[in-house]
């Protein structure tokens, strides 16, 4: 099974681990539009489930409660359709004196389908990002210029609930430190991005599913398009078998004791058609998922944070 890779980058205390656990909890329980995620390794599942339960009770994960990579299955209507890796790139290692970590980040971006960047809302608004974060922004921004394929980004603004009501509406100030990055994104014909304010508190979680859903929707749209092309080729083979079947085909089959083209066509059809039907249903579901993402009011939850209730 093919594996898609997503990278998440955030400096210490940016809320990256908390965001990942929140997203996992939301999408592994109820899911959205028939889509769910499930940890591939049982040990990872038990660990993530425990961390999510702790988070719901107000116990935030420690900085040491991290792993380099988690691998998940993406399910549609409880059937596995894809596998993806969630790579945790600790922003702190960018500060190392050697260039190995910087090169690793560049290579990871070239091999990944998408990238999540995590920023603390208060630090972003005050433009008080530390040197490490600014260096990450510079490296990511430069690497985006060389990407010439579809690439999906989510800029996650964590702890958005800690901003004042005025600050929550003042997006010009909030995004000022990200202007060079956003300019490069807007100048690229390949990069698709989304800005998502999030919050994970004991009162509830706001927008925690959106960052990953945006990435998965983009990746799966590309993946299903490729699968459709493959299946179209299979169907063409099936039609070719049908066109070549006939009296001579029957005679050759009789004397050679080999199946007729007609029989081969039927076998091919029985193999391919269920896959065609399945991926058509996935593509249809992706339309609903896209509608869900496009229509979500990202600020709605922050107008009533104290009234948020868990639904998972």
């Amino acid at each position: 099974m093919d594996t898609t890779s997503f990278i998440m980058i955030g400096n210490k205390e940016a809320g990256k681990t908390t965001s990942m656990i929140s997203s996992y909890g939301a999408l592994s329980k109820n899911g959205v539009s028939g889509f769910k995620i499930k940890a591939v390794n049982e040990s990872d599942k038990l660990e993530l489930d425990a961390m999510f339960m702790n988070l719901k009770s107000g116990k935030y994960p420690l900085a040491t409660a991290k792993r380099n990579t988690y691998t998940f299955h993406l399910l549609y209507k409880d059937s596995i359709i894809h596998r993806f890796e969630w790579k945790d790139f600790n922003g702190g290692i960018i500060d190392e004196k050697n260039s190995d970590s910087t090169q690793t980040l560049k290579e990871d971006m070239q091999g990944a389908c998408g990238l999540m960047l995590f920023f603390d809302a208060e630090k972003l608004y005050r433009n008080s990002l530390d040197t490490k974060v600014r260096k990450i922004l510079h490296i990511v921004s430069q690497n985006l210029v060389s990407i010439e394929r579809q690439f999906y980004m989510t800029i996650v603004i964590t702890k958005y609930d800690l901003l004042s009501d005025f600050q929550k509406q003042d997006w010009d100030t909030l995004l000022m430190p990200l202007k060079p990055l956003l300019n490069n994104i807007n100048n690229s014909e390949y990069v698709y991005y989304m800005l998502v304010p999030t919050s994970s508190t004991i009162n509830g979680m706001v927008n925690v599913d959106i960052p990953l859903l945006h990435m998965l929707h983009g990746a799966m749209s590309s993946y299903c398009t490729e699968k459709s092309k493959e299946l179209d080729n299979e169907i063409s083979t099936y039609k070719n078998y049908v066109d070549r079947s006939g009296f001579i085909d029957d005679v050759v089959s009789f004397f050679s004791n080999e199946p007729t083209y007609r029989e081969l066509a039927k076998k091919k059809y029985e193999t391919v058609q269920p896959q065609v039907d399945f991926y058509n249903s996935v593509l249809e579901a992706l339309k609903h998922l896209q509608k869900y993402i496009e229509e979500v009011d990202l600020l709605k939850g922050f107008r009533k944070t104290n009234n948020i209730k868990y639904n998972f």
Side-chain angles (χ1 to χ4, degrees), residues 18-29:
T18 297
S19 296
M20 186 197 75
I21 296 168
S22 303
S23 183
Y24 164 80
L27 295 176
S28 66
K29 305 303 178 184

Side-chain angles (χ1 to χ4, degrees), residues 101-112:
S101 58
T102 300
Q103 184 60 33
T104 299
L105 175 55
K106 290 179 179 179
E107 292 173 357
D108 280 351
M109 284 187 64
Q110 289 299 323

Side-chain angles (χ1 to χ4, degrees), residues 218-266:
M220 285 308 299
S221 295
S222 300
Y223 176 76
C224 287
T225 299
E226 290 301 314
K227 291 297 293 185
S228 294
K229 290 180 181 178
E230 292 178 12
L231 292 172
D232 284 342
N233 290 334
E234 293 286 322
I235 292 295
S236 295
T237 302
Y238 151 70
K239 290 180 178 178
N240 187 45
Y241 283 151
V242 172
D243 293 340
R244 295 176 65 180
S245 64
F247 174 74
I248 296 177
D249 181 31
D250 291 333
V251 172
V252 172
S253 173
F254 177 80
F255 286 103
S256 65
N257 201 29
E258 295 290 335
T260 64
Y261 284 119
R262 192 182 305 107
E263 291 169 334
L264 290 172
K266 181 180 180 182

Side-chain angles (χ1 to χ4, degrees), residues 15-183:
K16 177 182 57 174
T17 305
T18 297
S19 296
M20 186 197 75
I21 296 168
S22 303
S23 183
Y24 164 80
L27 295 176
S28 66
K29 305 303 178 184
N30 289 346
V32 174
S33 297
F35 293 96
K36 289 184 179 181
I37 65 173
K38 181 180 180 181
V40 172
N41 299 320
E42 183 63 22
S43 59
D44 287 348
K45 179 183 181 303
L46 294 174
E47 178 185 354
L48 289 168
D49 285 344
M51 293 171 74
F52 181 63
M53 292 304 296
N54 286 337
L55 187 59
K56 288 177 66 174
S57 62
K59 299 176 183 177
Y60 290 88
L62 299 174
T64 54
K66 296 180 180 179
R67 298 175 65 92
N68 290 327
T69 302
Y70 282 105
T71 305
F72 297 94
H73 280 139
L74 176 65
L75 292 78
Y76 176 64
K77 292 184 177 179
D78 295 324
S79 294
I80 296 173
I81 61 172
H82 201 55
R83 187 166 78 170
F84 67 96
E85 292 179 337
W86 211 341
K87 294 185 176 181
D88 181 352
F89 198 102
N90 183 0
I93 67 176
I94 293 294
D95 195 43
E96 294 177 354
K97 294 181 180 180
N98 61 62
S99 60
D100 289 349
S101 58
T102 300
Q103 184 60 33
T104 299
L105 175 55
K106 290 179 179 179
E107 292 173 357
D108 280 351
M109 284 187 64
Q110 289 299 323
C113 186
L115 169 69
M116 296 183 197
L117 284 174
F118 295 81
F119 299 97
D120 180 295
E122 289 185 310
K123 291 182 179 180
L124 195 62
Y125 190 85
R126 296 195 304 265
N127 198 4
S128 60
L129 303 177
D130 63 30
T131 304
K132 297 176 186 177
V133 177
R134 294 184 188 280
K135 188 169 184 180
I136 292 170
L137 276 171
H138 176 73
I139 294 171
V140 169
S141 184
Q142 293 300 310
N143 286 344
L144 287 178
V145 176
S146 63
I147 290 179
E148 297 183 349
R149 57 184 170 78
Q150 287 189 335
F151 192 81
Y152 303 91
M153 283 189 64
T154 309
I155 298 174
V156 186
I157 304 175
T158 63
K159 310 175 190 177
Y160 194 75
D161 55 302
L162 298 181
L163 296 180
S164 68
D165 289 341
F166 172 79
Q167 290 172 335
K168 289 173 184 173
Q169 303 299 323
D170 186 11
W171 279 80
D172 287 339
T173 301
L174 185 67
L175 299 180
M176 186 67 68
L178 305 181
K179 270 196 170 181
L181 172 66
L182 294 176
N183 285 338

